[in-house]
Amino acid sequence: MTIYNDALSSFITQTFAPEDNSLVHIREQIEARGLPDITVRPEEGRFLQVLVAACRARLALEIGTLGGYSGTWIARGLPDGGRLITLEVDPKRAEIASEHFRLAGVDDRVEIRIGDAHSLLPELSDEGPFDFVFIDAEKEGYPAYLRWTVEHLRPGGVLAAHNAFRRGAILDPEDQAPVVVATREFHQMVAQDPRLLATIFPAGDGMTIAVLQGA
Ligand code: SAH
Ligand code: MG
């Protein structure tokens, strides 16, 4: 029996993940300015913030900024002096996110880099190792993002990746859409990599999480 349901999800959100005015405003603006409604939910944002703090991250990376909602949660898990680098291919979205980071008071610790993450990541190799990496861009890129991440996380560092469930499509054998196939491949890679200790946090659309093991 699975006990988890929408009511329990709401309980978590209300009790542990209440949004302050900035987060409410960011979500409203994402809708008002016509960005897609694919931002993480408060419950997931809070989970990211807790993960960042739990691994004492000082240098974090996000792949897929959109309007800066998840980035704000991540930035708020960092200590003073911590940094988040977030990658976004769409300059208009990056501009909106930049406004939102200012509004949320985290612009001093967040740097947005505009471009295709597949081109930006090699340039970031020298800036690591990273303590925390959040993957949330195009799903077909997840296997490549994972390969880069395991090489650039510090031991004890944490990886999180959004949309693990694809709203349940990963379990439908008829569904061979490239996004779904790539998501399944990503799960197999994460689960079978001996360097990673991994699972899925089953709130929202599912968050794959993994710790890079080793001293
Ligand atoms: N993490 C955000 C949501 C990200 S949505 C949040 O929860 O608040 C995914 C974003 O990734 C989109 O804005 C999209 O433009 C961006 N994206 C897609 N492919 C990309 C790529 N190859 N490189 C960089 N960004 C990409
Ligand atoms: Mg997502």
Side-chain angles (χ1 to χ4, degrees):
M1 178 183 73
T2 302
I3 294 171
Y4 197 63
N5 58 25
D6 285 347
L8 287 166
S9 169
S10 297
F11 162 75
I12 294 175
T13 300
Q14 283 161 24
T15 310
F16 293 98
E19 294 173 306
D20 66 359
N21 290 339
S22 323
L23 285 166
V24 171
H25 183 77
I26 292 170
R27 251 192 324 100
E28 286 171 356
Q29 282 300 305
I30 283 170
E31 196 190 337
R33 298 176 82 162
L35 298 188
D37 180 18
I38 51 176
T39 293
V40 299
R41 287 154 57 159
E43 184 186 358
E44 298 171 296
R46 183 63 161 184
F47 182 63
L48 293 172
Q49 183 187 15
V50 169
L51 284 178
V52 167
C55 70
R56 292 173 168 259
R58 298 189 63 82
L59 180 59
L61 173 69
E62 175 179 65
I63 307 175
T65 315
L66 191 62
Y69 185 83
S70 57
T72 296
W73 284 102
I74 291 167
R76 288 178 171 180
L78 294 168
D80 286 344
R83 280 177 69 218
L84 167 65
I85 298 172
T86 180
L87 312 181
E88 174 55 56
V89 72
D90 180 334
K92 220 181 91 215
R93 294 179 179 183
E95 179 51 40
I96 292 170
S98 162
E99 286 174 34
H100 291 164
F101 290 135
R102 247 190 328 274
L103 175 87
V106 295
D107 51 319
D108 59 329
R109 58 184 64 179
V110 181
E111 183 192 336
I112 306 173
R113 298 204 187 165
I114 301 169
D116 181 351
H118 299 281
S119 313
L120 295 173
L121 286 176
E123 298 166 20
L124 274 165
S125 291
D126 292 342
E127 298 178 52
F130 289 81
D131 304 306
F132 180 84
V133 176
F134 178 46
I135 301 174
D136 192 21
E138 93 289 6
K139 307 310 152 192
E140 292 89 336
Y142 275 34
Y145 295 143
L146 176 65
R147 279 190 286 274
W148 186 92
T149 299
V150 286
E151 298 302 328
H152 297 92
L153 266 183
R154 66 145 161 92
V158 170
L159 153 79
H162 194 225
N163 307 105
F165 293 156
R166 297 256 12 125
R167 298 165 185 256
I170 53 159
L171 294 185
D172 176 1
E174 310 267 283
D175 197 333
Q176 295 297 325
V179 283
V180 179
V181 172
T183 303
R184 289 192 195 108
E185 181 191 351
F186 175 77
H187 291 326
Q188 290 309 314
M189 288 171 67
V190 173
Q192 288 166 16
D193 192 321
R195 295 166 292 184
L196 298 174
L197 180 65
T199 189
I200 292 176
F201 170 70
D205 194 24
M207 188 79 77
T208 311
I209 54 169
V211 183
L212 186 78
Q213 304 188 89

